[in-house]
Amino acid sequence: MNREDINAFCASLPQATHVVQWGNSDVWKVGGKLFAVLGWNNGETAVTFKVSPIAFEVLPDMQGIRPAPYLASRGMKWLQDTRDPGLSDAELQNHITYSHEMAVAALTKKKRAELGL
């Protein structure tokens, strides 16, 4: 998946919103909660997403996966796929979907109801 494909996938998730910030990064949120960031790693696309504590421990052993700069250094369980080689397309989609689900779960009941989630 390239940056365009990943952005299209993020846009397909329920109530996903997009802004460009942080040095021209594509930032994806649901209900104001961050779930994915597409930025750059040495001129190539890098995808940052929230993961479970277990995934945070296991996935960095794979080539192309690392704790997300800034977010992980603050104790948050976020990883960055530098796409070299990184996760398969299906695995990446699964992790972005799970990150979206965790963001939805962090919303208040009222906010989830407002968004129809």
Side-chain angles (χ1 to χ4, degrees), residues 28-46:
W28 289 95
K29 300 177 182 182
V30 58
K33 299 279 186 186
L34 183 66
F35 73 88
V37 178
L38 282 75
W40 301 103
N41 179 54
N42 298 324
E44 298 296 323
T45 298

Side-chain angles (χ1 to χ4, degrees), residues 1-2 5-6 9 83 85-96:
M1 292 177 76
N2 61 30
D5 297 331
I6 297 166
F9 177 75
R83 311 304 295 149
L87 300 167
S88 72
D89 292 351
E91 290 172 319
L92 179 60
Q93 288 177 340
N94 287 340
H95 282 288
I96 292 172

